Amino acid sequence: MIIVMTDSTDKQIEHVMGKFRQHEIEVHCLNSYGKTIITAIGDSSTCNPASFERMPGVEKVISIVTPFKLVSREFRRENTIVTVGNAVFGDKNVSVIAGPCAVEGYEQLLEAALAVKKAGACMLRGGAYKPRTSPYSFQGLEKEGLAILKAVSLKAGLPVVSEVTDPRTVEMMSEYVDMLQIGTRNMQNFVLLKEVAKSGKPILLKRGLSATMEEWLMAAEYIMAGGNENIVLCERGIRTFETYTRNTLDLNAIPLIKHLSHLPVIVDPSHGTGNWRLVNPMSKASLGAGADGLIIEVHPCPEEAVSDGQQSLTPHNFEQMMRELQCLAMAIDRVM
Ligand code: PEP
Ligand code: MN
């Protein structure tokens, strides 16, 4: 923490420094351009910056320690590698998760699974509990959907990820899926975060609709503080003034997260754009920015999809995109 003091008396300076010393924190003081700058070195997490702001003579308080700790690069320098079946996130691999927005039936999911596997996906996605904006929209096949996911996962030989929306279903869902997804709408559902931490399952943590980088990392901190470090972060677009796309895909997030955190980060260009035509170019951009993987919506027949058909690729679109991405991966020294 850095405390900047102006027109301060010796007594005021000593008061500030004494406060840090009370917490056994090393303090240094220097004078520069008529200001007194006090630097506190060490774990100042026990000191509340706001309490220093109120002290006489203090102009401003600059907090240099990030509020997130366990998920920070400072805590762990090397990349965390998350393994889900044969899918690996956080090493040289670019791992692609693909499948429909929602599980609609066994045939639909199996057709999607076999197609995405053939094209090189290493994991299957499919929602059984759909958090829809309207209560009148399709809410998912729920437990029946989970059973279909499990059956298709075994048949196709792909691990599965599916969204959990309720803390009461975490344990039950963990029997059916290999990875639990926290959707954008639940990124700050702290009860749910604590519950998935306990599940021991790898977690796909999507960025909240309007979440800052710090809020997103703090959500991951909840899971890690709960004893689960198998977390993959997912940038899925944020709310902006732009209406031509469903969301604005924030590609800044990828290199920033890689700098701030040791956790893997993947991108969801399907929800990030809301437009199937943009999925291929934004997937390439994501890889270029350093993403560890992608999650893509693929439906055997997007025009008949019960949800998100407008942003879903056909198996043919997906196969073509994967071929193009493989060339790109090679050029940037990644494995796909
Ligand atoms: C999804 O992946 O099915 C989904 C609903 O995504 P998001 O939470 O990012 O909107
Ligand atoms: Mn969707």
Side-chain angles (χ1 to χ4, degrees):
M1 204 185 292
I2 295 172
I3 312 281
V4 181
M5 302 183 73
T6 316
D7 300 329
S8 45
T9 63
D10 288 351
K11 204 168 161 212
Q12 288 168 341
I13 295 168
E14 193 40 51
H15 181 53
V16 170
M17 293 183 54
K19 193 85 181 167
F20 282 115
R21 290 200 193 103
Q22 259 175 26
H23 290 89
E24 293 178 359
I25 293 164
E26 188 184 325
V27 275
H28 296 276
C29 179
L30 60 98
N31 291 306
S32 167
Y33 298 100
K35 291 184 190 289
T36 301
I37 297 166
I38 296 171
T39 54
I41 300 162
D43 180 10
S44 54
S45 57
T46 50
C47 300
N48 178 8
S51 69
F52 286 94
E53 259 153 30
R54 291 305 308 265
M55 288 183 184
V58 172
E59 183 190 319
K60 65 178 168 189
V61 178
I62 304 164
S63 195
I64 50 168
V65 178
T66 53
F68 43 89
K69 301 202 181 309
L70 301 173
V71 303
S72 74
R73 269 272 176 224
E74 286 148 20
F75 177 75
R76 184 182 292 156
R77 294 196 68 77
E78 63 278 11
N79 290 341
T80 286
I81 294 172
V82 177
T83 305
V84 190
N86 290 330
V88 183
F89 301 88
D91 64 357
K92 263 195 157 192
N93 278 283
V94 172
S95 299
V96 180
I97 307 170
C101 178
V103 178
E104 296 168 16
Y106 181 80
E107 294 305 326
Q108 169 249 16
L109 191 66
L110 183 63
E111 194 178 337
L114 295 176
V116 300
K117 184 174 184 183
K118 190 158 167 259
C122 56
M123 220 170 139
L124 179 66
R125 63 149 290 147
Y129 295 87
K130 297 304 301 174
R132 306 301 296 280
T133 301
S134 164
Y136 309 115
S137 302
F138 175 66
Q139 302 286 308
L141 293 183
E142 304 184 346
K143 218 166 167 186
E144 186 195 343
L146 292 176
I148 294 172
L149 268 173
K150 177 116 190 171
V152 170
S153 160
L154 293 173
K155 178 105 182 158
L158 285 174
V160 290
V161 59
S162 196
E163 178 168 355
V164 60
T165 53
D166 185 333
R168 292 166 299 188
T169 55
V170 169
E171 209 178 318
M172 179 276 289
M173 265 192 82
S174 300
E175 304 282 317
Y176 291 91
V177 302
D178 303 283
M179 185 181 216
L180 293 167
Q181 175 175 323
I182 299 289
T184 195
R185 293 159 189 82
N186 274 309
M187 189 207 79
Q188 282 189 316
N189 181 337
F190 302 116
V191 178
L192 185 59
L193 296 178
K194 286 182 196 170
E195 204 56 37
V196 296
K198 284 193 265 172
S199 73
K201 287 275 169 187
I203 308 299
L204 182 64
L205 179 63
K206 289 197 155 194
R207 181 178 181 180
L209 281 172
S210 302
T212 63
M213 217 65 68
E214 194 167 297
E215 288 163 341
W216 188 15
L217 287 171
M218 289 307 282
E221 187 83 11
Y222 263 89
I223 301 171
M224 212 164 150
N228 187 347
E229 54 184 59
N230 289 313
I231 307 162
V232 176
L233 298 167
C234 177
E235 162 60 38
R236 50 79 67 205
I238 49 172
R239 277 275 163 92
T240 68
F241 52 82
E242 182 55 73
T243 53
Y244 264 85
T245 48
R246 183 175 178 181
N247 291 293
T248 296
L249 191 64
D250 181 12
L251 292 176
N252 295 339
I254 307 160
L256 251 173
I257 290 290
K258 301 290 300 175
H259 175 68
L260 294 170
S261 174
H262 51 82
L263 295 174
V265 57
I266 69 167
V267 175
D268 175 350
S270 307
H271 292 90
T273 64
N275 180 340
W276 74 271
R277 288 187 179 84
L278 303 184
V279 170
N280 179 326
M282 295 318 283
S283 294
K284 288 174 183 153
S286 302
L287 254 60
D292 294 304
L294 298 162
I295 178 164
I296 309 285
E297 285 187 340
V298 178
H299 193 284
C301 183
E303 65 182 59
E304 282 171 16
V306 295
S307 61
D308 289 351
Q310 75 289 353
Q311 64 194 36
S312 298
L313 299 186
T314 62
H316 174 71
N317 299 148
F318 181 70
E319 197 213 312
Q320 188 175 337
M321 179 180 86
M322 288 294 276
R323 260 189 278 118
E324 293 171 16
L325 290 177
Q326 273 147 13
C327 296
L328 175 59
M330 221 185 305
I332 58 171
D333 198 26
R334 301 288 301 245
V335 179
M336 226 181 125

